[in-house]
Amino acid sequence: MKYILLIHHDEAYFASLSEAERQALYAEYRSLREQLTAAGNWVAGDQLLPTSAGSSVKVRDGKAVVTGGPFAESREQVGGYFMIEARDLDEAVSIAARIPSARTGTIEVRPVVPSVVPAAAR
């Protein structure tokens, strides 16, 4: 089953890291990605730019309303994601606990609803 692991962290904390600390963290992420790829768990993943680079979109009365930044103010922001394959929730949680940002932030583990592909599209 596929799971998305949403990596929530404090952008201010991440910004306060020295370049050496940031590079060490990136090295941990690369190592984990290599391990997950070798084990057949890795599907996809990326780091996201800070929330200040994002936009929130909603449609009201048929018109799109776009605002800059995140949807909601919170102490932690989504900084990236891993999409993984796991046998079950226990394995997904075990992988989430290995993500470096779990030490200072929160990893949200969400099962992905399987896509149903129409027979004609196969």
Side-chain angles (χ1 to χ4, degrees), residues 69-88:
F71 171 69
E73 293 295 324
S74 67
R75 191 179 67 76
E76 293 181 338
Q77 296 76 35
V78 178
Y81 70 95
F82 281 14
M83 179 73 72
I84 62 165
E85 287 278 353
R87 286 183 311 278
D88 54 29

Side-chain angles (χ1 to χ4, degrees), residues 49-111:
L49 288 173
T51 55
S52 60
S55 298
S56 296
V57 179
K58 58 186 173 184
V59 176
R60 299 296 183 266
D61 299 319
K63 294 181 182 180
V65 178
V66 181
T67 56
F71 171 69
E73 293 295 324
S74 67
R75 191 179 67 76
E76 293 181 338
Q77 296 76 35
V78 178
Y81 70 95
F82 281 14
M83 179 73 72
I84 62 165
E85 287 278 353
R87 286 183 311 278
D88 54 29
L89 180 60
D90 289 339
E91 183 180 27
V93 167
S94 175
I95 291 169
R98 295 167 55 197
I99 294 175
S101 290
R103 295 190 302 262
T104 57
T106 303
I107 311 302
E108 181 181 352
V109 179
R110 302 269 302 271

Side-chain angles (χ1 to χ4, degrees), residues 5 7 24-43 81-82 84 91-103 107:
L5 310 180
I7 302 166
L25 188 62
Y26 288 155
E28 286 186 68
Y29 269 96
R30 284 190 299 276
S31 176
L32 178 57
R33 181 179 176 166
E34 290 167 5
Q35 293 168 31
L36 295 175
T37 299
N41 297 109
W42 182 260
V43 175
Y81 70 95
F82 281 14
I84 62 165
E91 183 180 27
V93 167
S94 175
I95 291 169
R98 295 167 55 197
I99 294 175
S101 290
R103 295 190 302 262
I107 311 302

